[in-house]
Amino acid sequence: MSDILINLENINKIFYTEDVETHALSNITLTIKKGEYISISGPSGCGKSTLLSLLGLLDTTTNGKYMLSGHDVSNIAKNERARIRNQEIGFIFQSFNLISDLDVEENVELPLTYRNDLSKAERKKMVMDALEKVDMAHRAKHFPSQLSGGQQQRVAVARAIAGNPSILLADEPTGNLDTKNAEAVMQLLDRLHEEGATICMVTHDPRSASRAERTIQVLDGKIVGDEKAKGSTSSIVEEIVAKAEDAVTAEESVS
Amino acid sequence: MMLIGDLKYALRLMSKKLGFTVLTTLVMAVGIGLSIYLFSFFHTMVFKELPFEDGDTLVQISASQNGLKNAGTINLHDYQEIKQSLRGLSEFGSYKTESLTVSGRDGARRYSGVSAEPNIFKITRTKPVLGREFRAEENQSGAERVVVIGYDVWQNLFAGNSKALDQIVRINGESHRVIGVMPQGYVFPSNTEMWLPLREKAEQMSRDKASNVYGLAHVDGDAELEEINRELTVVMQRIEQRHPKTNNGISAYVSSIPMATAADGLPVIYTVHIIAILVLILASINVGNLLLSRAIERGKETAIRVALGAPRSRLISQMLWESIIICCVGGIIGLLILMWGLDVTEVITATFNVDKPPFWWQFGIDGFTIKLFASFVLGTILLTGLLPAWKNSGADFNAVLRDGTRGALGKKAGRLNRFLIISEIFVSMTVLITATVLMVGNFKATQADYGADAENILTAEVILNGEKYSTPESKAQFSKTLQSRLENTNGIGDVMISSALPGNLSSTPAMALEGKEYVKDKGYPRANYIVVAPGSLAKLGVELKQGRYFNSSDEGLEKSSVIVTDSFASRHFPDSSAIGKRIRTVELDGDQPNWLTIVGIVEHTIQGPSYQESGKIASVFRPFSQAPRDQITVAMRMKADKAQVTKSLRQTLASIDAELPAFRIETYTDSFSRHTDPMLFITTIFLLFGIAAVILASTGIYGVMSNTINQRTQEIGVKCALGATNKRIINDFLMTGVKQLLWGGIPGLLAGSAMGFAMSTMLGIGSADLVAVVIVLTFVISGTVLLATYLPTKRALEMEPSEALRYE
């Protein structure tokens, strides 16, 4: 079975206003495999957030092809996009975006209430499991205004993972946090990745970017760099494989 | 200097968003103008002090009948007893209205007059401009007949000559010497043109011979009207026990003169005041919400000011300027519209009476209006400006200044918005239901069937006073002659003669039914007691239901026949036909009971305005020749134009008696209009209110809900990001809208229905009408709320989720 989760081919995104055409993304081609931990970085206005929006089906491409889990989702209807977002994608925003009128438990449950196939008991279990994972179960009945920024972001992470999505999309997840809370959230993401989550994170913080095993650099709407981070698991495996191949080649030449 | 700077800045901001500024100013103008108009209107008609020294303590003692305060007169004997028994009042006086026929070389003319006790002018602290007031000795029966004339009469009859004093004027066939002239504009108690001494003393005449009068007095310094009225009720109960035949159900009340005729309408007036306040609140909520959304839009600007060190008080005062400007400018525009409205009102209300309107009906901007205007403007400034200013100046500006810290709608902001929406719905529902009930009730009153065919009929009144018509025979003969001569005149068809045509008020003496027992002379029913010339009922189109109309066999003083309305028959003879049954008047019988046999039953006729209780009273008709009256109404079917018929009438009257003028000459339909025109005018006012309320309510609800949903655009983006479909989001918001509709709508429905029910009872609207009004308006408001929820949500959903997430 293919382990490619996302495949973008020649994606373009153009914003049209009255006088101006803005090419936010040009000819983006990108593949994301299951279990990868990717960071997307670049200067302000380079198009990284736009790329994340397209990945998350929050926006539509101007042209190009987008395959998600083997399905072409380039031009699907709005309701279908909503369904896929609900079931396949988990979002973590810079500004947390919790609903202030709902308590923690209700906020985490919110995406699950948009599904028709879950009973109340099932939803509750999924919610509590997610809250346990982020160590916020004890604050289930509190409201967002009663939590610190770091705690709100952990709840937002719980909301994102509650439905077991295929991929987590994080847009500057630590942008509004102090160092300590930022580190806590990043450790949480690391743990999720170790447990098998596929994560794609937009950040311009080099420390956060270095946590990912693959870094994609975006500049002026184009991908200008796509490197495996040194020391990442995949890079170590690839190094071992490369060395083994070199060794085989050398042996053959001797004999 | 700083204040001027803030003002200039506020003006600049407002001119940048001119549409918003104009809209809010107009909303304020409408709210303030309409509200003050209603207050001013009723203040002038009912609550204003009379324009005399001590006018605020001047009161009238009027009769009520079966609890109905219909500004009736009381027997002179009863007045005397009240004067002796009642505490808290002083300077008692009394008067009765008179229709005076003044005859001279140029013919006869009718004037509005009053016969009064000599202190009538002292009571109003007004002296004649020429001559003197009455003396006590002139108030005796047998004394020289004197008259004090009004200023306009002085100008008309004597060209304003000072030699008018001691001139002789022939009034009701008797010579009267002019002794005084009152100042210009003085028409006390109500459009009076001449004043005569009463010439009656209770102690010198029997009760049944004494006149019916109104009492006048001044309230003593610390006396309370409620206490005085309680004592007065006790006095009247005592009199009723002693004289049950004449005073059954009769009581009395003390009130200001303007209030005397409006006493039973006070609940309606107070309800209208409540509606006026609610309309103002509705306008204020609308403007307040618009200003609040502006304040939120300017949140970042305010945050920067805070960062630069602006104290909270300065922030509040800066934000208040917009509200001050809008409310002041809107208020001034409202005041100008009000001025125009009151001018128009004065012209229209002047047509409500055949004679001049009451002298206190002077509509215009006065001290009361100015004070009310100032307090309304101040109130609206506080209501619309202080809340947004306070809220916005205390917000967490660090959060606002930090980029990306925007979240979904804050909890407090959400609560405030919910409160605004629920208040808007509550007030709208209450105002709309009550205003619509008032409008429907008033309109229905104008459509009533009075029981007669009024088309193409000219009516006139004639009063048979003087020695010539002192006997019943002479009155009966006069009416016969008049009818016969008129019917033989070119241009005139059928002629009907009656003491009160359908639509006109009539006396309502107590009646007794044969075979029914009245213990201690109590329980006599009352009915309109009307005399008609034979054939008049048929010619007027009053439909015969059973039996027969009057004919020549009913002619003569010795005859005793009567026709009753079907309302009388069904009320008093429910189980059998009324034909052949006998009834009699209790008070007017004289020494011997005079039983009258019912020979016919006709349809119910409304005597007086349909919307008053008098309209529901049953009627009893007698042939004119059996019980002739002094005051008769002549109705002529016109075969020529009105001017020609009027001329023929005057000539015919002059040919019978040169000293008898006809007055109140108008078409029958015009006389109905005088009942309905005031109601139509009020209906129009309520219609305007209703339209204003509908516009304010729908735009207000839409504005508040749209604003709320706008502020939740980001939340919509979040929900989309989490996978909610459009349908799901719309449903969620609609459910929220429905909840707010219930929270605001149910109390509003209850409050509006309660007020509407109270009004419907008074205006004679059935429960079916009230229920229909409530159902229709519930649909209107519900539809508005749901539309106001659906449309902005749909608009927000047209954005891509990524756009909605970034929405500020």
Side-chain angles (χ1 to χ4, degrees):
Chain A
M1 199 158 79
S2 167
D3 60 354
I4 292 178
L5 183 60
I6 287 174
N7 193 28
L8 302 178
E9 279 182 34
N10 293 319
I11 295 289
N12 287 282
K13 177 67 185 175
I14 304 171
F15 290 108
Y16 298 95
T17 57
E18 276 177 21
D19 311 313
V20 177
E21 242 179 50
T22 306
H23 291 251
L25 294 172
S26 301
N27 293 321
I28 300 288
T29 297
L30 174 64
T31 302
I32 300 175
K33 293 180 183 170
K34 285 180 195 166
E36 276 198 291
Y37 188 170
I38 294 174
S39 73
I40 302 175
S41 40
S44 287
C46 68
K48 54 187 190 292
S49 290
T50 306
L51 177 57
L52 202 73
S53 292
L54 292 181
L55 284 171
L57 297 175
L58 293 175
D59 210 341
T60 49
T61 61
T62 307
N63 51 44
K65 196 170 175 187
Y66 178 2
M67 302 288 290
L68 175 63
S69 297
H71 301 288
D72 186 350
V73 296
S74 315
N75 295 304
I76 56 173
K78 213 168 178 182
N79 277 351
E80 185 58 17
R81 279 164 51 202
R83 189 192 65 76
I84 293 173
R85 274 200 302 275
N86 182 249
Q87 302 207 340
E88 304 289 341
I89 300 169
F91 285 97
I92 304 162
F93 301 99
Q94 177 178 353
S95 52
F96 326 136
N97 277 344
L98 298 178
I99 311 288
S100 57
D101 279 338
L102 304 176
D103 64 27
V104 163
E105 188 178 334
E106 287 164 340
N107 263 289
V108 174
E109 193 192 10
L110 191 59
L112 305 179
T113 62
Y114 298 145
R115 300 188 190 182
N116 298 325
D117 55 348
L118 295 172
S119 68
K120 197 174 160 89
E122 282 168 332
R123 289 203 304 269
K124 180 139 179 128
K125 184 171 184 317
M126 289 164 83
V127 163
M128 295 317 291
D129 285 348
L131 284 172
E132 292 285 353
K133 272 195 182 155
V134 302
D135 197 25
M136 285 297 293
H138 60 295
R139 303 295 291 270
K141 291 303 175 190
H142 286 107
F143 285 88
S145 56
Q146 296 170 295
L147 306 177
S148 69
Q151 288 170 330
Q152 287 188 56
Q153 193 61 298
R154 277 156 51 193
V155 172
V157 171
R159 183 178 65 184
I161 63 174
N164 295 316
S166 305
I167 183 167
L168 288 175
L169 300 179
D171 188 356
E172 305 273 11
T174 59
N176 286 359
L177 302 175
D178 57 63
T179 320
K180 188 175 160 203
N181 280 310
E183 178 57 29
V185 168
M186 291 313 298
Q187 281 180 8
L188 179 54
L189 291 178
D190 291 343
R191 205 167 63 240
L192 290 172
H193 174 242
E194 278 163 22
E195 289 169 6
T198 310
I199 301 176
C200 182
M201 175 178 63
V202 159
T203 182
H204 57 251
D205 177 6
R207 285 171 304 178
S208 299
S210 66
R211 305 288 267 259
E213 59 186 16
R214 178 179 162 197
T215 305
I216 293 170
Q217 278 110 19
V218 178
L219 182 64
D220 293 336
K222 298 186 175 70
I223 294 179
V224 295
D226 187 348
E227 299 168 350
K228 295 225 174 0
K230 284 192 169 50
S232 70
T233 310
S234 54
S235 71
I236 292 168
V237 166
E238 279 176 18
E239 250 187 69
I240 293 171
V241 168
K243 279 183 181 165
E245 280 175 359
D246 287 345
V248 167
T249 310
E251 226 179 277
E252 278 174 357
S253 67
V254 164
S255 51
Chain B
M1 282 302 293
M2 289 185 305
L3 284 178
I4 304 286
D6 289 345
L7 170 62
K8 281 185 184 169
Y9 183 69
L11 286 169
R12 195 157 17 113
L13 277 183
M14 291 170 76
S15 62
K16 271 169 83 173
K17 286 218 169 177
L18 205 54
F20 170 86
T21 306
V22 168
L23 171 68
T24 46
T25 309
L26 281 177
V27 167
M28 221 57 247
V30 164
I32 290 179
L34 276 181
S35 305
I36 297 182
Y37 174 82
L38 270 188
F39 274 91
S40 181
F41 179 80
F42 284 111
H43 181 254
T44 300
M45 291 194 81
V46 177
F47 299 112
K48 204 170 175 177
E49 287 163 18
L50 293 178
F52 307 119
E53 188 188 330
D54 298 330
D56 56 328
T57 58
L58 179 57
V59 292
Q60 178 169 289
I61 306 167
S62 319
S64 65
Q65 188 168 317
N66 295 324
L68 210 62
K69 290 180 181 165
N70 51 7
T73 47
I74 48 180
N75 188 288
L76 189 66
H77 280 245
D78 297 346
Y79 157 74
Q80 199 60 30
E81 185 158 346
I82 291 168
K83 183 175 166 181
Q84 283 156 4
S85 314
L86 211 58
R87 289 165 305 179
L89 296 178
S90 53
E91 285 188 76
F92 283 87
S94 65
Y95 73 93
K96 61 177 181 175
T97 55
E98 302 264 23
S99 219
L100 305 175
T101 302
V102 174
S103 41
R105 275 177 308 199
D106 302 330
R109 212 200 115 156
R110 186 204 156 260
Y111 287 88
S112 297
V114 138
S115 295
E117 289 190 90
N119 66 345
I120 187 166
F121 304 119
K122 268 203 185 58
I123 284 177
T124 57
R125 316 285 189 253
T126 310
K127 291 187 184 332
V129 290
L130 196 66
R132 61 170 176 83
E133 304 167 25
F134 304 127
R135 295 192 182 116
E137 54 270 24
E138 287 160 344
N139 196 35
Q140 308 286 344
S141 165
E144 183 199 5
R145 291 181 187 275
V146 295
V147 61
V148 172
I149 59 176
Y151 190 91
D152 289 346
V153 173
W154 180 40
Q155 297 297 320
N156 289 338
L157 290 184
F158 300 104
N161 196 326
S162 59
K163 293 197 178 125
L165 289 182
D166 295 327
Q167 295 295 313
I168 300 296
V169 175
R170 204 162 165 76
I171 301 174
N172 291 353
E174 306 271 0
S175 296
H176 289 71
R177 184 164 65 86
V178 176
I179 60 164
V181 178
M182 294 310 289
Q184 190 172 14
Y186 185 88
V187 291
F188 185 80
S190 176
N191 60 52
T192 311
E193 296 169 295
M194 291 184 173
W195 293 263
L196 304 173
L198 188 62
R199 292 162 65 94
E200 284 185 41
K201 289 249 158 66
E203 53 271 21
Q204 290 168 5
M205 56 208 322
S206 61
R207 194 183 169 77
D208 58 335
K209 294 271 186 309
S211 292
N212 283 346
V213 297
Y214 292 103
L216 293 169
H218 278 277
V219 178
D220 293 337
D222 50 358
E224 293 288 334
L225 262 188
E226 290 84 29
E227 182 53 40
I228 294 171
N229 273 311
R230 272 196 289 273
E231 270 193 45
L232 182 55
T233 305
V234 170
V235 172
M236 293 304 291
Q237 280 168 350
R238 221 168 44 218
I239 298 174
E240 186 183 354
Q241 277 170 1
R242 292 204 312 269
H243 305 283
K245 266 193 193 175
T246 56
N247 278 44
N248 184 27
I250 304 289
S251 187
Y253 61 100
V254 170
S255 67
S256 67
I257 293 177
M259 189 81 85
T261 44
D264 272 338
L266 272 180
V268 175
I269 294 172
Y270 289 141
T271 303
V272 171
H273 281 143
I274 293 173
I275 295 178
I277 295 284
L278 288 178
V279 166
L280 188 63
I281 289 174
L282 204 57
S284 300
I285 292 178
N286 284 7
V287 170
N289 176 57
L290 289 167
L291 287 173
L292 183 63
S293 55
R294 283 261 290 170
I296 291 170
E297 275 173 29
R298 289 169 56 197
K300 199 136 198 175
E301 175 206 325
T302 313
I304 292 166
R305 286 173 186 272
V306 169
L308 295 175
R312 193 171 185 185
S313 54
R314 186 79 195 281
L315 288 175
I316 290 174
S317 77
Q318 276 168 349
M319 283 186 256
L320 262 183
W321 271 119
E322 280 196 48
S323 161
I324 290 170
I325 294 166
I326 286 168
C327 292
C328 287
V329 174
I332 290 169
I333 295 173
L335 196 65
L336 291 172
I337 299 173
L338 170 70
M339 276 170 68
W340 169 81
L342 289 174
D343 282 344
V344 168
T345 302
E346 178 132 345
V347 169
I348 293 175
T349 52
T351 63
F352 291 171
N353 298 67
V354 175
D355 299 322
K356 290 181 209 162
F359 65 92
W360 60 86
W361 281 15
Q362 288 171 18
F363 298 93
I365 307 288
D366 54 13
F368 170 80
T369 317
I370 297 290
K371 276 186 220 160
L372 200 64
F373 169 75
S375 52
F376 276 17
V377 167
L378 191 64
T380 49
I381 288 171
L382 291 174
L383 202 58
T384 62
L386 204 57
L387 183 62
W390 182 263
K391 185 212 165 302
N392 223 35
S393 64
D396 178 6
F397 287 101
N398 285 322
V400 174
L401 281 171
R402 272 207 325 267
D403 190 34
T405 329
R406 63 199 191 283
L409 195 63
K411 205 166 161 62
K412 277 189 184 161
R415 256 207 305 265
L416 178 63
N417 276 319
R418 275 195 296 278
F419 173 75
L420 278 175
I421 293 170
I422 289 168
S423 305
E424 186 94 44
I425 295 171
F426 168 73
V427 173
S428 306
M429 199 68 128
T430 310
V431 169
L432 281 177
I433 290 177
T434 317
T436 308
V437 166
L438 281 165
M439 195 177 67
V440 167
N442 276 297
F443 180 72
K444 277 197 150 189
T446 67
Q447 306 297 304
D449 176 13
Y450 284 82
D453 171 18
E455 284 305 311
N456 210 32
I457 290 181
L458 188 70
T459 65
E461 291 194 26
V462 179
I463 296 185
L464 306 175
N465 38 29
E467 282 299 310
K468 248 191 267 184
Y469 304 102
S470 55
T471 63
E473 291 83 359
S474 57
K475 292 180 213 206
Q477 184 55 48
F478 171 84
S479 85
K480 243 182 143 170
T481 308
L482 179 65
Q483 185 176 19
S484 143
R485 285 196 192 180
L486 283 174
E487 278 180 341
N488 285 315
T489 303
N490 282 334
I492 297 177
D494 289 333
V495 174
M496 294 70 75
I497 289 184
S498 171
S499 58
L501 293 174
N504 293 342
L505 285 165
S506 166
S507 58
T508 52
M511 310 294 298
L513 279 54
E514 188 178 39
K516 192 163 164 153
E517 208 175 307
Y518 299 95
V519 177
K520 291 188 185 172
D521 270 330
K522 282 194 176 158
Y524 295 115
R526 289 191 177 265
N528 293 304
Y529 185 62
I530 303 164
V531 298
V532 292
S536 294
L537 289 174
K539 290 171 193 171
L540 281 170
V542 181
E543 191 191 332
L544 183 71
K545 300 285 192 172
Q546 230 186 312
R548 63 173 178 83
Y549 288 116
F550 295 133
N551 54 38
S552 53
S553 69
D554 301 300
E555 294 285 292
L557 283 166
E558 71 285 2
K559 299 288 170 67
S560 311
S561 43
V562 72
I563 290 174
V564 300
T565 53
D566 52 9
S567 44
F568 187 96
S570 57
R571 202 169 299 163
H572 300 297
F573 305 101
D575 303 319
S576 57
S577 170
I579 303 292
K581 300 284 194 302
R582 301 206 300 171
I583 61 175
R584 65 181 182 90
T585 61
V586 172
E587 302 151 51
L588 309 173
D589 248 2
D591 301 326
Q592 299 285 338
N594 180 24
W595 289 104
L596 311 169
T597 307
I598 298 174
V599 301
I601 301 173
V602 294
E603 64 176 302
H604 178 78
T605 59
I606 297 177
Q607 305 295 147
S610 65
Y611 48 85
Q612 290 183 2
E613 280 303 309
S614 54
K616 296 183 191 138
I617 299 176
S619 300
V620 158
F621 301 94
R622 281 199 72 190
F624 193 95
S625 58
Q626 291 184 20
R629 297 283 181 82
D630 293 337
Q631 183 157 349
I632 61 175
T633 304
V634 184
M636 300 152 281
R637 194 81 58 185
M638 294 191 283
K639 285 184 177 172
D641 63 49
K642 181 183 166 186
Q644 180 59 40
V645 173
T646 305
K647 192 174 168 195
S648 300
L649 169 67
R650 289 198 199 281
Q651 285 171 346
T652 307
L653 264 176
S655 73
I656 302 173
D657 188 341
E659 287 194 340
L660 265 187
F663 60 99
R664 287 213 188 120
I665 302 175
E666 57 181 352
T667 62
Y668 199 3
T669 43
D670 281 350
S671 75
F672 281 143
S673 298
R674 271 187 297 103
H675 295 319
T676 59
D677 280 353
M679 301 306 283
L680 276 174
F681 177 70
I682 304 274
T683 305
T684 310
I685 301 290
F686 288 139
L687 183 62
L688 277 173
F689 255 77
I691 292 171
V694 165
I695 293 172
L696 283 175
S698 17
T699 55
I701 290 172
Y702 188 89
V704 171
M705 298 205 80
S706 167
N707 189 41
T708 306
I709 290 166
N710 222 27
Q711 289 172 36
R712 294 172 73 181
T713 301
Q714 218 196 20
E715 182 186 321
I716 291 175
V718 170
K719 289 184 173 172
C720 283
L722 297 177
T725 58
N726 283 5
K727 189 177 165 195
R728 176 62 191 260
I729 291 175
I730 288 173
N731 282 348
D732 284 349
F733 274 84
L734 280 175
M735 281 313 300
T736 309
V738 165
K739 274 187 213 157
Q740 285 160 347
L741 176 65
L742 291 174
W743 273 110
I746 291 179
L749 192 75
L750 292 172
S753 299
M755 297 214 302
F757 178 74
M759 295 303 103
S760 67
T761 314
M762 259 175 272
L763 296 170
I765 304 174
S767 347
D769 288 330
L770 177 63
V771 168
V773 164
V774 168
I775 289 175
V776 165
L777 288 172
T778 304
F779 272 110
V780 166
I781 296 283
S782 305
T784 306
V785 169
L786 293 175
L787 205 63
T789 313
Y790 176 76
L791 290 176
T793 310
K794 191 103 189 352
R795 218 181 15 252
L797 285 170
E798 277 164 13
M799 286 188 227
E800 287 293 344
S802 57
E803 210 182 323
L805 280 165
R806 288 192 296 270
Y807 186 79
E808 279 191 51

